[in-house]
């Protein structure tokens, strides 16, 4: 499984209120530890070497790191509209969303 450490990331202070403050008001400096697709740890920013040689490192110094903003609302697709409010239309919209979504984690179940 892939491992990534995002170093010196400025994130909104409410996500890690005890971390040192970043130059940007309302933000704190942290290191984010990612395994696969999940953030598994948020730690105070450090200049210590990475413990695992297989971990990729991204230096985010001077940058703000935010979650991926994914707009999950939908009006319709494939000739159907949610306002149709029929099982057929909603099933067709869900099927098209599963086939074409950029984020499968947020697509409707089959």
């Amino acid at each position: 499984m892939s491992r990534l450490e995002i170093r010196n990331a400025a994130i909104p202070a409410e996500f890690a209120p005890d971390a040192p403050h970043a130059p940007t008001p309302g933000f704190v400096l942290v290191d984010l530890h990612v395994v696969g697709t999940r953030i598994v740890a948020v730690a105070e920013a450090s200049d210590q070497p990475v413990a695992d040689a297989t971990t990729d490192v991204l230096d985010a110094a001077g940058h703000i790191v935010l979650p991926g903003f994914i707009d999950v609302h939908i009006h319709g697709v494939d000739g159907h509209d949610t306002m149709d409010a029929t099982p057929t239309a909603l099933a067709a919209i869900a099927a098209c969303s599963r086939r074409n979504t950029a984020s499968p984690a947020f697509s409707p179940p089959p």
Side-chain angles (χ1 to χ4, degrees):
M1 187 166 289
S2 64
R3 299 174 84 71
L4 171 66
E5 192 167 300
I6 304 172
R7 292 279 182 104
N8 306 304
I11 66 170
E14 58 266 21
F15 295 146
D18 297 329
H21 288 279
T24 305
F27 289 83
V28 294
L29 290 178
V30 298
D31 291 343
L32 301 169
H33 304 276
V34 181
V35 176
T37 60
R38 294 191 171 273
I39 297 172
V40 296
V42 177
E44 188 172 320
S46 168
D47 58 3
Q48 298 297 315
V50 177
D52 184 350
T54 63
T55 300
D56 292 320
V57 177
L58 176 67
D59 185 5
H63 297 279
I64 293 173
V65 176
L66 296 171
F69 295 105
I70 300 170
D71 184 357
V72 297
H73 92 279
I74 187 170
H75 295 275
V77 68
D78 237 10
H80 300 279
D81 190 288
T82 56
M83 295 302 287
D84 296 344
T86 66
T88 302
L90 297 176
I93 292 168
C96 185
S97 295
R98 278 192 305 280
R99 286 192 311 273
N100 299 301
T101 186
S103 182
F106 291 99
S107 65

